[in-house]
Amino acid sequence: MVPLLVRGPAWLFQWRAACTLGAFVQQRTWAGVSRIPGLGGPLVQRGSSSASSQAPEVVLTRERYPVRRLPFAQVSEDDLAALERIVPGRVITDPEELEAPNVDWLRTVRGSSKVLLRPRTSQEVAHILRYCHERNLAVSPQGGNTGMVGGSVPVFDEIILSTTLMNQVMSFHDVSGVLVCQAGCILEELGRYVEERGFLMPLDLGAKGSCHIGGNVATNAGGLRFLRYGSLRGTVLGLEVVSRGHHCGPASQVLADGTILNCLTSLRKDNTGYDLKQLFIGSEGTLGVITAVSILCPPKPSAVNVAFLGCPGFAEVLQTFSTCRQKLGEILSAFEFMDAECMKLVELHLRLASPVRESPFYVLIETSGSGAGHDAEKLSDFLEQVLGSGLVTDGTLATDQRRIKMLWSLRERITEALSRDGYVYKYDLSLPVERLYDLVSDLRARLGPRAKHVVGYGHLGDGNLHLNVTAEAFDVSLLGALEPYVYEWTARQRGSVSAEHGLGFKKRDVLCYSKPPEALQLMQQLKALLDPKGILNPYKTLPARA
């Protein structure tokens, strides 16, 4: 490792020296994570958490929530025989095998589907949907089942259509960086595939080891690289969809009547007619089943740094972000924040220790560029300013991939830690950056001891707050104290009730807090046009009543 240029006070020189010497230190910690000397110990993993006792059975969605089954047909033996002819050997009816796909990974909603189908091709998906359309059988499309709002599991007995076996890369162009693949490809595996070829997936999520790219597109997932590479509405070039015989570009979607709309183009510019793929990005499987995706991958940066810093207050977090944008500019790729409560839960449930001294807030900053020396100099100037001015009180820096992943795990695994703390009420909000944390403080005062923990973290650079409230168990009175208060508060700030998680089943009836009645009416009309019988992912995304 090349030492950084020495400029500024003695502590900065010592810190830079630690960056250089850290790799040679052998110890039973996460050795080599560079530290600002005298300000706490290195990041260590204190052992895996003990296995929890057998988790209690999740209450059926139809019993916990006031929802009524729509007049869809029920699967008969004749239906099973017909579906077996479409996907031979891939019709799953074993109750034990159906337990997991009926429950969301947060274990908050549970359906009662008795059939799961595993197609391998778009044509098989088309045949399935054509049959279900004719028989009036409801279908619940499912990818990696990592959603946060109950959108990927059945509410009643809908047929689960899994994309697990649709996991093939169809093509990759090593000049343009355009990847075309089936919808069931796991995001982390796609990341490895394109990184071996010098590129990067424009999307990164904590659930990347399980989530499918088709589900990512269907929910318009945001994630950790949004600040640098933008949303999937910009990086997805085409889809494949079932419709009435139209053709367009990248991303294959199957519509409710079983017609394949092939829009799998690899063109970055195509100004011909309506951009139909945008209808399906973020539609959560209610307008069609995405079967293939064409996505633009940026070049893989050759120099990546991650700083994990402690801040004395949220005002300092905001000022650190402003300074970060000014000083780091084009190399800034992520700016995440978490409060002290998040860190306590990560330490308690996952046995991960903070790499910095205890602080009210923490920020994770990532830079990505093409010149290590250039990036290091900019980062050093930034750190010198924020540490010297008191905006940051402690910090650690990682420059190699293993240690970078260790720092990122503190942020990425917050959701996992929360899920081990009890029942979680989750809110994914877009708010003006300057008001981002006010709601967390508000709720702590409002809920008092009724809540076990009230925490706030998220993508500060995107104005995206993940507000989470934990309790020992689901409590109707606690839910009543949270809703509609959270949504009304957000609406007063002209925010969004769903920044990146989508609406799914849990949030469908709060869409009115972010969209006017005219928009809701148009959405209902689009749904009726593309899925006239309403068989695609019913009870999701759109309000129960117009």
Side-chain angles (χ1 to χ4, degrees), residues 149-174:
V149 288
S152 60
V153 294
V155 174
F156 291 97
D157 57 349
E158 301 89 271
I159 293 172
I160 300 172
L161 196 160
S162 170
T163 58
T164 300
L165 299 182
M166 302 181 69
N167 57 3
Q168 301 299 305
V169 172
M170 299 159 72
S171 66
F172 181 76
H173 198 286
D174 58 7

PDB file of all heavy atoms in Angstrom, residues 149-174:
ATOM      1  N   VAL A 149     -42.847  -5.438   2.739  1.00  0.00           N
ATOM      2  CA  VAL A 149     -44.223  -4.967   2.886  1.00  0.00           C
ATOM      3  C   VAL A 149     -45.262  -6.026   2.526  1.00  0.00           C
ATOM      4  O   VAL A 149     -46.398  -5.716   2.208  1.00  0.00           O
ATOM      5  CB  VAL A 149     -44.449  -3.685   2.035  1.00  0.00           C
ATOM      6  CG1 VAL A 149     -43.737  -2.500   2.645  1.00  0.00           C
ATOM      7  CG2 VAL A 149     -44.013  -3.897   0.588  1.00  0.00           C
ATOM      8  N   GLY A 150     -44.865  -7.292   2.583  1.00  0.00           N
ATOM      9  CA  GLY A 150     -45.819  -8.373   2.342  1.00  0.00           C
ATOM     10  C   GLY A 150     -46.277  -8.486   0.912  1.00  0.00           C
ATOM     11  O   GLY A 150     -47.350  -9.042   0.653  1.00  0.00           O
ATOM     12  N   GLY A 151     -45.468  -8.012  -0.034  1.00  0.00           N
ATOM     13  CA  GLY A 151     -45.875  -8.051  -1.437  1.00  0.00           C
ATOM     14  C   GLY A 151     -45.532  -9.333  -2.155  1.00  0.00           C
ATOM     15  O   GLY A 151     -46.038  -9.582  -3.251  1.00  0.00           O
ATOM     16  N   SER A 152     -44.680 -10.175  -1.559  1.00  0.00           N
ATOM     17  CA  SER A 152     -44.174 -11.341  -2.285  1.00  0.00           C
ATOM     18  C   SER A 152     -44.747 -12.661  -1.792  1.00  0.00           C
ATOM     19  O   SER A 152     -44.299 -13.732  -2.220  1.00  0.00           O
ATOM     20  CB  SER A 152     -42.643 -11.391  -2.180  1.00  0.00           C
ATOM     21  OG  SER A 152     -42.232 -11.480  -0.827  1.00  0.00           O
ATOM     22  N   VAL A 153     -45.722 -12.612  -0.886  1.00  0.00           N
ATOM     23  CA  VAL A 153     -46.346 -13.850  -0.416  1.00  0.00           C
ATOM     24  C   VAL A 153     -47.861 -13.749  -0.604  1.00  0.00           C
ATOM     25  O   VAL A 153     -48.417 -12.647  -0.632  1.00  0.00           O
ATOM     26  CB  VAL A 153     -46.023 -14.136   1.069  1.00  0.00           C
ATOM     27  CG1 VAL A 153     -44.552 -14.420   1.258  1.00  0.00           C
ATOM     28  CG2 VAL A 153     -46.461 -12.984   1.956  1.00  0.00           C
ATOM     29  N   PRO A 154     -48.539 -14.889  -0.755  1.00  0.00           N
ATOM     30  CA  PRO A 154     -50.001 -14.836  -0.929  1.00  0.00           C
ATOM     31  C   PRO A 154     -50.704 -14.319   0.319  1.00  0.00           C
ATOM     32  O   PRO A 154     -50.185 -14.439   1.437  1.00  0.00           O
ATOM     33  CB  PRO A 154     -50.371 -16.291  -1.222  1.00  0.00           C
ATOM     34  CG  PRO A 154     -49.252 -17.105  -0.673  1.00  0.00           C
ATOM     35  CD  PRO A 154     -48.022 -16.271  -0.797  1.00  0.00           C
ATOM     36  N   VAL A 155     -51.856 -13.738   0.113  1.00  0.00           N
ATOM     37  CA  VAL A 155     -52.694 -13.297   1.230  1.00  0.00           C
ATOM     38  C   VAL A 155     -53.659 -14.417   1.610  1.00  0.00           C
ATOM     39  O   VAL A 155     -53.884 -14.696   2.787  1.00  0.00           O
ATOM     40  CB  VAL A 155     -53.458 -12.011   0.856  1.00  0.00           C
ATOM     41  CG1 VAL A 155     -54.443 -11.617   1.958  1.00  0.00           C
ATOM     42  CG2 VAL A 155     -52.477 -10.875   0.586  1.00  0.00           C
ATOM     43  N   PHE A 156     -54.232 -15.072   0.605  1.00  0.00           N
ATOM     44  CA  PHE A 156     -55.101 -16.228   0.829  1.00  0.00           C
ATOM     45  C   PHE A 156     -54.440 -17.454   0.195  1.00  0.00           C
ATOM     46  O   PHE A 156     -53.355 -17.830   0.593  1.00  0.00           O
ATOM     47  CB  PHE A 156     -56.496 -15.954   0.261  1.00  0.00           C
ATOM     48  CG  PHE A 156     -57.253 -14.902   1.021  1.00  0.00           C
ATOM     49  CD1 PHE A 156     -57.269 -13.581   0.585  1.00  0.00           C
ATOM     50  CD2 PHE A 156     -57.944 -15.226   2.179  1.00  0.00           C
ATOM     51  CE1 PHE A 156     -57.962 -12.607   1.292  1.00  0.00           C
ATOM     52  CE2 PHE A 156     -58.635 -14.259   2.894  1.00  0.00           C
ATOM     53  CZ  PHE A 156     -58.637 -12.945   2.451  1.00  0.00           C
ATOM     54  N   ASP A 157     -55.104 -18.044  -0.804  1.00  0.00           N
ATOM     55  CA  ASP A 157     -54.626 -19.292  -1.397  1.00  0.00           C
ATOM     56  C   ASP A 157     -54.144 -19.101  -2.834  1.00  0.00           C
ATOM     57  O   ASP A 157     -54.217 -20.031  -3.644  1.00  0.00           O
ATOM     58  CB  ASP A 157     -55.734 -20.346  -1.344  1.00  0.00           C
ATOM     59  CG  ASP A 157     -57.011 -19.864  -2.052  1.00  0.00           C
ATOM     60  OD1 ASP A 157     -57.096 -18.655  -2.384  1.00  0.00           O
ATOM     61  OD2 ASP A 157     -57.918 -20.687  -2.272  1.00  0.00           O
ATOM     62  N   GLU A 158     -53.638 -17.910  -3.152  1.00  0.00           N
ATOM     63  CA  GLU A 158     -53.156 -17.675  -4.511  1.00  0.00           C
ATOM     64  C   GLU A 158     -52.043 -18.668  -4.866  1.00  0.00           C
ATOM     65  O   GLU A 158     -51.254 -19.074  -4.006  1.00  0.00           O
ATOM     66  CB  GLU A 158     -52.590 -16.252  -4.649  1.00  0.00           C
ATOM     67  CG  GLU A 158     -53.555 -15.148  -4.338  1.00  0.00           C
ATOM     68  CD  GLU A 158     -53.542 -14.757  -2.871  1.00  0.00           C
ATOM     69  OE1 GLU A 158     -54.309 -15.357  -2.100  1.00  0.00           O
ATOM     70  OE2 GLU A 158     -52.761 -13.854  -2.490  1.00  0.00           O
ATOM     71  N   ILE A 159     -51.977 -19.037  -6.140  1.00  0.00           N
ATOM     72  CA  ILE A 159     -50.888 -19.890  -6.622  1.00  0.00           C
ATOM     73  C   ILE A 159     -49.588 -19.089  -6.573  1.00  0.00           C
ATOM     74  O   ILE A 159     -49.509 -17.968  -7.073  1.00  0.00           O
ATOM     75  CB  ILE A 159     -51.168 -20.353  -8.070  1.00  0.00           C
ATOM     76  CG1 ILE A 159     -52.376 -21.293  -8.100  1.00  0.00           C
ATOM     77  CG2 ILE A 159     -49.941 -21.039  -8.668  1.00  0.00           C
ATOM     78  CD1 ILE A 159     -52.841 -21.636  -9.509  1.00  0.00           C
ATOM     79  N   ILE A 160     -48.544 -19.649  -5.970  1.00  0.00           N
ATOM     80  CA  ILE A 160     -47.238 -18.982  -5.927  1.00  0.00           C
ATOM     81  C   ILE A 160     -46.476 -19.332  -7.200  1.00  0.00           C
ATOM     82  O   ILE A 160     -46.271 -20.510  -7.509  1.00  0.00           O
ATOM     83  CB  ILE A 160     -46.429 -19.414  -4.690  1.00  0.00           C
ATOM     84  CG1 ILE A 160     -47.184 -19.068  -3.406  1.00  0.00           C
ATOM     85  CG2 ILE A 160     -45.058 -18.740  -4.691  1.00  0.00           C
ATOM     86  CD1 ILE A 160     -46.553 -19.624  -2.142  1.00  0.00           C
ATOM     87  N   LEU A 161     -46.084 -18.303  -7.944  1.00  0.00           N
ATOM     88  CA  LEU A 161     -45.301 -18.493  -9.163  1.00  0.00           C
ATOM     89  C   LEU A 161     -43.870 -18.049  -8.855  1.00  0.00           C
ATOM     90  O   LEU A 161     -43.579 -16.859  -8.770  1.00  0.00           O
ATOM     91  CB  LEU A 161     -45.899 -17.683 -10.314  1.00  0.00           C
ATOM     92  CG  LEU A 161     -45.453 -18.045 -11.724  1.00  0.00           C
ATOM     93  CD1 LEU A 161     -46.449 -17.522 -12.756  1.00  0.00           C
ATOM     94  CD2 LEU A 161     -44.075 -17.489 -12.042  1.00  0.00           C
ATOM     95  N   SER A 162     -42.996 -19.021  -8.649  1.00  0.00           N
ATOM     96  CA  SER A 162     -41.613 -18.737  -8.245  1.00  0.00           C
ATOM     97  C   SER A 162     -40.698 -18.636  -9.456  1.00  0.00           C
ATOM     98  O   SER A 162     -40.765 -19.452 -10.374  1.00  0.00           O
ATOM     99  CB  SER A 162     -41.106 -19.855  -7.324  1.00  0.00           C
ATOM    100  OG  SER A 162     -39.717 -19.723  -7.101  1.00  0.00           O
ATOM    101  N   THR A 163     -39.812 -17.640  -9.439  1.00  0.00           N
ATOM    102  CA  THR A 163     -38.847 -17.467 -10.541  1.00  0.00           C
ATOM    103  C   THR A 163     -37.491 -18.089 -10.212  1.00  0.00           C
ATOM    104  O   THR A 163     -36.497 -17.833 -10.899  1.00  0.00           O
ATOM    105  CB  THR A 163     -38.649 -15.975 -10.862  1.00  0.00           C
ATOM    106  OG1 THR A 163     -38.200 -15.284  -9.682  1.00  0.00           O
ATOM    107  CG2 THR A 163     -39.937 -15.347 -11.352  1.00  0.00           C
ATOM    108  N   THR A 164     -37.427 -18.920  -9.182  1.00  0.00           N
ATOM    109  CA  THR A 164     -36.149 -19.477  -8.712  1.00  0.00           C
ATOM    110  C   THR A 164     -35.351 -20.166  -9.806  1.00  0.00           C
ATOM    111  O   THR A 164     -34.114 -20.055  -9.851  1.00  0.00           O
ATOM    112  CB  THR A 164     -36.416 -20.482  -7.563  1.00  0.00           C
ATOM    113  OG1 THR A 164     -37.073 -19.795  -6.496  1.00  0.00           O
ATOM    114  CG2 THR A 164     -35.126 -21.081  -7.055  1.00  0.00           C
ATOM    115  N   LEU A 165     -36.022 -20.896 -10.701  1.00  0.00           N
ATOM    116  CA  LEU A 165     -35.312 -21.649 -11.745  1.00  0.00           C
ATOM    117  C   LEU A 165     -35.035 -20.809 -12.995  1.00  0.00           C
ATOM    118  O   LEU A 165     -34.378 -21.288 -13.926  1.00  0.00           O
ATOM    119  CB  LEU A 165     -36.109 -22.893 -12.130  1.00  0.00           C
ATOM    120  CG  LEU A 165     -36.348 -23.904 -10.997  1.00  0.00           C
ATOM    121  CD1 LEU A 165     -37.104 -25.129 -11.522  1.00  0.00           C
ATOM    122  CD2 LEU A 165     -35.031 -24.330 -10.354  1.00  0.00           C
ATOM    123  N   MET A 166     -35.498 -19.570 -13.006  1.00  0.00           N
ATOM    124  CA  MET A 166     -35.241 -18.678 -14.149  1.00  0.00           C
ATOM    125  C   MET A 166     -33.994 -17.863 -13.825  1.00  0.00           C
ATOM    126  O   MET A 166     -34.052 -16.662 -13.578  1.00  0.00           O
ATOM    127  CB  MET A 166     -36.452 -17.787 -14.401  1.00  0.00           C
ATOM    128  CG  MET A 166     -37.728 -18.582 -14.660  1.00  0.00           C
ATOM    129  SD  MET A 166     -39.162 -17.549 -14.984  1.00  0.00           S
ATOM    130  CE  MET A 166     -38.741 -16.876 -16.582  1.00  0.00           C
ATOM    131  N   ASN A 167     -32.841 -18.538 -13.838  1.00  0.00           N
ATOM    132  CA  ASN A 167     -31.627 -17.957 -13.279  1.00  0.00           C
ATOM    133  C   ASN A 167     -30.440 -17.927 -14.241  1.00  0.00           C
ATOM    134  O   ASN A 167     -29.285 -18.023 -13.828  1.00  0.00           O
ATOM    135  CB  ASN A 167     -31.237 -18.727 -12.014  1.00  0.00           C
ATOM    136  CG  ASN A 167     -31.037 -20.217 -12.277  1.00  0.00           C
ATOM    137  OD1 ASN A 167     -31.124 -20.683 -13.417  1.00  0.00           O
ATOM    138  ND2 ASN A 167     -30.779 -20.970 -11.230  1.00  0.00           N
ATOM    139  N   GLN A 168     -30.731 -17.767 -15.523  1.00  0.00           N
ATOM    140  CA  GLN A 168     -29.673 -17.797 -16.531  1.00  0.00           C
ATOM    141  C   GLN A 168     -29.300 -16.398 -17.026  1.00  0.00           C
ATOM    142  O   GLN A 168     -30.172 -15.558 -17.262  1.00  0.00           O
ATOM    143  CB  GLN A 168     -30.108 -18.641 -17.735  1.00  0.00           C
ATOM    144  CG  GLN A 168     -30.437 -20.081 -17.385  1.00  0.00           C
ATOM    145  CD  GLN A 168     -29.256 -20.816 -16.790  1.00  0.00           C
ATOM    146  OE1 GLN A 168     -28.175 -20.872 -17.395  1.00  0.00           O
ATOM    147  NE2 GLN A 168     -29.437 -21.387 -15.601  1.00  0.00           N
ATOM    148  N   VAL A 169     -27.991 -16.163 -17.173  1.00  0.00           N
ATOM    149  CA  VAL A 169     -27.520 -14.958 -17.866  1.00  0.00           C
ATOM    150  C   VAL A 169     -27.662 -15.211 -19.352  1.00  0.00           C
ATOM    151  O   VAL A 169     -27.154 -16.212 -19.876  1.00  0.00           O
ATOM    152  CB  VAL A 169     -26.058 -14.643 -17.500  1.00  0.00           C
ATOM    153  CG1 VAL A 169     -25.521 -13.513 -18.379  1.00  0.00           C
ATOM    154  CG2 VAL A 169     -25.944 -14.264 -16.026  1.00  0.00           C
ATOM    155  N   MET A 170     -28.344 -14.317 -20.034  1.00  0.00           N
ATOM    156  CA  MET A 170     -28.607 -14.507 -21.459  1.00  0.00           C
ATOM    157  C   MET A 170     -27.514 -13.889 -22.325  1.00  0.00           C
ATOM    158  O   MET A 170     -27.149 -14.439 -23.362  1.00  0.00           O
ATOM    159  CB  MET A 170     -29.980 -13.918 -21.798  1.00  0.00           C
ATOM    160  CG  MET A 170     -31.101 -14.607 -21.013  1.00  0.00           C
ATOM    161  SD  MET A 170     -32.621 -13.645 -20.872  1.00  0.00           S
ATOM    162  CE  MET A 170     -33.254 -13.739 -22.541  1.00  0.00           C
ATOM    163  N   SER A 171     -26.993 -12.744 -21.894  1.00  0.00           N
ATOM    164  CA  SER A 171     -25.894 -12.124 -22.639  1.00  0.00           C
ATOM    165  C   SER A 171     -25.270 -11.025 -21.801  1.00  0.00           C
ATOM    166  O   SER A 171     -25.895 -10.480 -20.885  1.00  0.00           O
ATOM    167  CB  SER A 171     -26.394 -11.533 -23.968  1.00  0.00           C
ATOM    168  OG  SER A 171     -27.281 -10.440 -23.742  1.00  0.00           O
ATOM    169  N   PHE A 172     -24.001 -10.712 -22.116  1.00  0.00           N
ATOM    170  CA  PHE A 172     -23.328  -9.568 -21.511  1.00  0.00           C
ATOM    171  C   PHE A 172     -22.372  -8.984 -22.537  1.00  0.00           C
ATOM    172  O   PHE A 172     -21.602  -9.708 -23.167  1.00  0.00           O
ATOM    173  CB  PHE A 172     -22.556  -9.964 -20.248  1.00  0.00           C
ATOM    174  CG  PHE A 172     -21.863  -8.790 -19.601  1.00  0.00           C
ATOM    175  CD1 PHE A 172     -22.596  -7.866 -18.863  1.00  0.00           C
ATOM    176  CD2 PHE A 172     -20.502  -8.590 -19.750  1.00  0.00           C
ATOM    177  CE1 PHE A 172     -21.980  -6.768 -18.286  1.00  0.00           C
ATOM    178  CE2 PHE A 172     -19.878  -7.502 -19.175  1.00  0.00           C
ATOM    179  CZ  PHE A 172     -20.620  -6.586 -18.430  1.00  0.00           C
ATOM    180  N   HIS A 173     -22.428  -7.668 -22.706  1.00  0.00           N
ATOM    181  CA  HIS A 173     -21.570  -6.989 -23.673  1.00  0.00           C
ATOM    182  C   HIS A 173     -20.478  -6.259 -22.908  1.00  0.00           C
ATOM    183  O   HIS A 173     -20.755  -5.348 -22.128  1.00  0.00           O
ATOM    184  CB  HIS A 173     -22.380  -6.008 -24.515  1.00  0.00           C
ATOM    185  CG  HIS A 173     -21.688  -5.593 -25.773  1.00  0.00           C
ATOM    186  ND1 HIS A 173     -20.626  -4.718 -25.782  1.00  0.00           N
ATOM    187  CD2 HIS A 173     -21.881  -5.955 -27.069  1.00  0.00           C
ATOM    188  CE1 HIS A 173     -20.215  -4.536 -27.024  1.00  0.00           C
ATOM    189  NE2 HIS A 173     -20.958  -5.283 -27.829  1.00  0.00           N
ATOM    190  N   ASP A 174     -19.218  -6.678 -23.130  1.00  0.00           N
ATOM    191  CA  ASP A 174     -18.132  -6.147 -22.317  1.00  0.00           C
ATOM    192  C   ASP A 174     -17.618  -4.784 -22.782  1.00  0.00           C
ATOM    193  O   ASP A 174     -16.660  -4.256 -22.206  1.00  0.00           O
ATOM    194  CB  ASP A 174     -16.967  -7.137 -22.244  1.00  0.00           C
ATOM    195  CG  ASP A 174     -16.411  -7.507 -23.614  1.00  0.00           C
ATOM    196  OD1 ASP A 174     -16.842  -6.899 -24.610  1.00  0.00           O
ATOM    197  OD2 ASP A 174     -15.556  -8.400 -23.684  1.00  0.00           O
TER     198      ASP A 174
END
